[in-house]
Amino acid sequence: MVGYNREDVAAELLFCLINGRRPMPFPVRRTGGTDVLMPVWDVPKAMLDACYPKFSEENYSERVDCSAVRRSSIYYMAHGLDALVPSMSLSLMTGVKQLMDQVNGWEQLEKVEGSPLMHTGYGDRDQQAELLERLARYFPSWNLAAAAAS
């Protein structure tokens, strides 16, 4: 299980749609042989923070400021949807989920052999090989020969 809340799922969905990508499934996402559950996908972050204020305060204090402008902007948009119209993000997520279920349009994850990574379908084989090569020095136990053979 992961703690993706409403704004997290909305931000990921907006990122995919803005960038012309098929969205990842929610509230259940298959990753290899494991289902990842998002039990609070439709709960606003502010409500979760209010339930556990001490934990939330610690969590936010440990975060490093992000310089990824597009990522920050998309999260700002996700939070702003509900600020403009209550539950608008939930309407967007519910509508996209219904559409993706109907047209079988969800992005599927594929296992990257020799590693615990999952591939989203974006990037080509050369880019994947370059990434694996860079990560190999930090994860020497990965069997990258299997990845190269596939």
Side-chain angles (χ1 to χ4, degrees):
M1 285 196 274
V2 295
Y4 279 19
N5 57 64
R6 184 186 297 185
E7 290 83 4
D8 291 333
V9 175
E12 181 181 273
L13 179 62
L14 287 169
F15 175 85
C16 290
L17 296 175
I18 287 169
N19 288 289
R21 296 182 176 187
R22 294 186 305 161
M24 303 288 288
F26 64 88
V28 178
R29 182 173 299 166
R30 189 88 176 149
T31 58
T34 304
D35 284 335
V36 176
L37 308 176
M38 302 172 198
V40 294
W41 74 275
D42 57 348
V43 179
K45 177 73 171 138
M47 186 178 292
L48 296 171
D49 285 345
C51 291
Y52 302 98
K54 184 164 176 50
F55 173 78
S56 294
E57 181 181 12
E58 289 173 11
N59 183 25
Y60 289 122
S61 71
E62 293 173 0
R63 292 187 180 183
V64 177
D65 287 340
C66 178
S67 61
V69 176
R70 289 190 73 177
R71 180 181 187 276
S72 297
S73 299
I74 288 171
Y75 266 91
Y76 182 79
M77 288 171 31
H79 283 268
L81 283 175
D82 288 345
L84 292 171
V85 178
S87 296
M88 178 60 85
S89 65
L90 186 59
S91 296
L92 173 67
M93 293 185 302
T94 303
V96 170
K97 181 181 180 335
Q98 182 178 359
L99 176 64
M100 292 297 107
D101 286 344
Q102 286 175 358
V103 301
N104 195 24
W106 294 114
E107 182 63 67
Q108 299 300 316
L109 294 172
E110 297 176 11
K111 183 164 178 32
V112 176
E113 291 301 321
S115 79
L117 301 177
M118 303 296 291
H119 186 252
T120 62
Y122 295 95
D124 59 31
R125 288 241 183 252
D126 291 338
Q127 291 170 320
Q128 181 175 312
E130 182 181 340
L131 175 63
L132 289 172
E133 184 180 321
R134 288 180 187 204
L135 291 173
R137 53 189 146 163
Y138 302 103
F139 302 99
S141 63
W142 290 4
N143 179 8
L144 298 181
S150 64

